[in-house]
Amino acid sequence: MDRSARREQVLACAVKVFSRKGYHATTVSDIIAEAGVARGTFYLYFKSKEQLLPHLRAEVLAEYMRVFEHALSAKGPADERLSKGIAAVYRAVRRHRQLVAVFRQAQSGEETERIWLEGRETLAGPLACLLEEGRDAGVLRLDEPRMAAHLVLALLDDLFYEALQY
């Protein structure tokens, strides 16, 4: 197996173990046992289990962005596309429900938080454009599309998580 595939295998196995045991109860030993790799192999790619999180968050955020942009690129009024975009992100959050719970359990490190904030910023761009389009078309009422985009994303993050957890 090549280096890239081995790294992906370790990440995929970490997701399985984190989902099963939770973030805090998971050890590097658990991950390497699941992956069937030597401890040294794990440490070739990651210094700790904490170092896995930014990579996993980046993958999840990339999927959110893909489904969101796909929904926003459809034809139709801004409010309908917004609704489709929110529904698409909700489905993606639902697919990653266990991993999102792990992210919230971990709340570790500046790097992980930075990636999460960058992801929100990335999603805020196309959302702000859509909100502005809806405002200009008279379908949405708002003064600051960029601020509204950030508020919507922050609210959705918490609402989706709470809805899926409880």
Side-chain angles (χ1 to χ4, degrees):
M1 185 178 290
D2 75 3
R3 224 175 131 79
S4 174
R6 179 69 69 199
R7 182 181 173 281
E8 291 306 312
Q9 174 194 7
V10 170
L11 285 169
C13 290
V15 170
K16 288 179 188 174
V17 179
F18 285 146
S19 296
R20 191 171 57 241
K21 294 184 76 170
Y23 177 75
H24 296 293
T26 297
T27 64
V28 170
S29 295
D30 296 326
I31 295 167
I32 64 175
E34 181 78 25
V37 299
R39 184 171 298 278
T41 301
F42 177 90
Y43 289 114
L44 281 174
Y45 304 108
F46 308 101
K47 293 179 183 174
S48 64
K49 74 175 184 180
E50 292 79 12
Q51 269 210 334
L52 295 166
L53 293 177
H55 300 282
L56 297 173
R57 279 195 170 165
E59 288 177 15
V60 169
L61 287 169
E63 182 181 347
Y64 291 176
M65 193 64 192
R66 273 192 311 277
V67 301
F68 191 62
E69 284 184 328
H70 178 73
L72 296 187
S73 69
K75 301 279 186 229
D79 56 340
E80 288 178 17
R81 292 183 359 247
L82 175 61
S83 183
K84 288 178 183 175
I86 290 170
V89 171
Y90 174 77
R91 288 188 298 274
V93 170
R94 193 173 61 203
R95 279 191 299 279
H96 294 287
R97 173 183 27 211
Q98 291 175 313
L99 195 49
V100 171
V102 167
F103 296 152
R104 287 184 175 247
Q105 290 167 10
Q107 294 298 314
S108 70
E110 292 176 19
E111 177 72 6
T112 304
E113 191 62 27
R114 182 188 60 75
I115 288 170
W116 204 245
L117 291 174
E118 285 175 4
R120 273 200 190 158
E121 183 62 33
T122 301
L123 286 169
L127 177 55
C129 288
L130 181 68
L131 293 174
E132 189 171 344
E133 180 185 323
R135 179 194 65 193
D136 294 348
V139 201
L140 301 172
R141 288 183 159 173
L142 48 94
D143 294 325
E144 297 181 38
R146 190 86 176 160
M147 179 61 77
H150 280 280
L151 291 172
V152 165
L153 290 170
L155 276 170
L156 290 177
D157 183 36
D158 286 336
L159 288 172
F160 287 169
Y161 178 76
E162 294 297 322
L164 291 169
Q165 283 301 106
Y166 305 105

